[in-house]
Every structure is written in C-alpha cells, then in structure tokens.
Amino acid sequence: AQTVTQSQPEMSVQEAETVTLSCTYDTSESDYYLFWYKQPPSRQMILVIRQEAYKQQNATENRFSVNFQKAAKSFSLKISDSQLGDAAMYFCAYRSATNFGNEKLTFGTGTRLTIIP
Amino acid sequence: GAVVSQHPSRVICKSGTSVKIECRSLDFQATTMFWYRQFPKQSLMLMATSNEGSKATYEQGVEKDKFLINHASLTLSTLTVTSAHPEDSSFYICSAPLTYEQYFGPGTRLTVT
C-alpha cells in the first residue's frame, strides 16, 4: 500500500517570502500522480498543483512550484511571494495511474501554513 | 472547472435517527465517487468508493451497515448515516474524478446530539 508523509505539522512564513512544504511517499509503482491540495478555513479542497511521475520536469503554477525527486520519493511544494490568502492546510496526495476506475487518493497528514503580515 | 456539490452543508440530528448526504457532479458524469471523513485538524480519511450501478467498496474498519452508500446515477451519490450517534459527528466530504484530477464537494458538517 502507498503511504504519504508530511513531517511538518505547522509552518509559518512572512508575507512576500518563500516557503517550502515537504512531502515524501512510498510506493512500488512506477506510474502515478502526485498532488498538492489546499484547504482554507472554508474547508473546500482546492487543487494547487499536479505532477505526473513520468515527467522529469517539475510542475509550476504561477507562484507555486514543486521539486519532484522520483528516486528519493520526495515531492515538496514551494510557494513564492507568499500572500495572506495562502494561509491554509496543505495536503500532499498520491494517486496510482495504473488502475483505471480506482482513482482514490492517499493523503498525507497535512501542514498548516500561517502567513505572517 | 468541474463542480461537485454537496447537500446539506450542515445538518444536526438526534441520536438514533438517520441522515442522508447528497453528492452531485454538476457538469460531468462520474461512474465513481469517493466519500471521506475528516476530523478536526486532521487529514481526510477515505471511507468508501461509490460505484454507479453496483455496490460500494468500503475501506477497512468502516461499518457498511452504518454508512450506506447509493450511487443511483452518473451524477449522484448519497451517503446515509444510519442510527447516528454523537461519535458520528464529523465533516464529510465527497469527490469525483475527472481525467487525472479529483474534484471535491464543499463538505457537510454533521452534528449528532
């Protein structure tokens, strides 16, 4: 079974600064997807960024980028120019790419990000 | 983007009663939907996979008779908490996959008194 580990329960960053959230995972599969989701106080889950395991290039979405290290099974999220609206719980998630119809996600325990004005 | 709705957003029920939560994919069809439970300050815990036209697949430790799931159409899955007790109070979230991604409903806060 796959596992996802987020070792930082809480992080804080000054507004406009950069912060990196860590995530490691364990799998025996070679083809999979990794995601970062954001859950603000409203509790609506919002997709931040997605990475396909077969792609060597790290995914980027505006101020959000990942450092995907497949051999090390590491998938960190970097948030640049942090904004007050970035304050939320961030969850790393894994999904197998091999089982069509079984697209369930395995989540990490989450990192609560606080933005300091 | 794809939208998933949940109804109700909040519900309070008395102990021993049943409550139904609906999850709808508004602009796409979903043969599979997922139900999660989230305790305060914790991660999402997958409860079951809802399969259109067939039985749901429950995760280990989830009581099938307490959490009844029905996926009657390609856009609707329901979760019924039967004979609810205070320990069933929680935040329930559904999701539906579309291509590579999962789209989440806004969640339902269940309080059992």
Side-chain angles (χ1 to χ4, degrees), chain A residues 33 35 37 39 42-47 50 52 54 89 91 95 101-110 112, chain B residues 4 32 34 36 38-44 46 49 51 59 91 93 97 99-106 109:
Chain A
Y33 301 97
F35 305 87
Y37 282 91
Q39 189 179 41
S42 68
R43 305 192 77 169
Q44 172 71 59
M45 295 287 285
I46 301 167
L47 176 66
R50 179 187 81 236
E52 292 90 339
Y54 66 87
M89 278 290 286
F91 294 102
R95 200 210 96 175
N102 185 21
E103 305 93 336
K104 64 181 180 181
L105 294 173
T106 301
F107 285 95
T109 51
R112 180 169 299 282
Chain B
V4 174
T32 302
F34 300 94
Y36 297 86
Q38 186 178 32
F39 292 103
K41 298 185 179 181
Q42 293 190 23
S43 188
L44 282 69
L46 179 65
T49 303
N51 303 301
E59 296 299 302
F91 192 70
I93 305 174
T99 59
Y100 308 117
E101 299 180 7
Q102 292 261 356
Y103 293 88
F104 288 83
R109 160 75 63 201

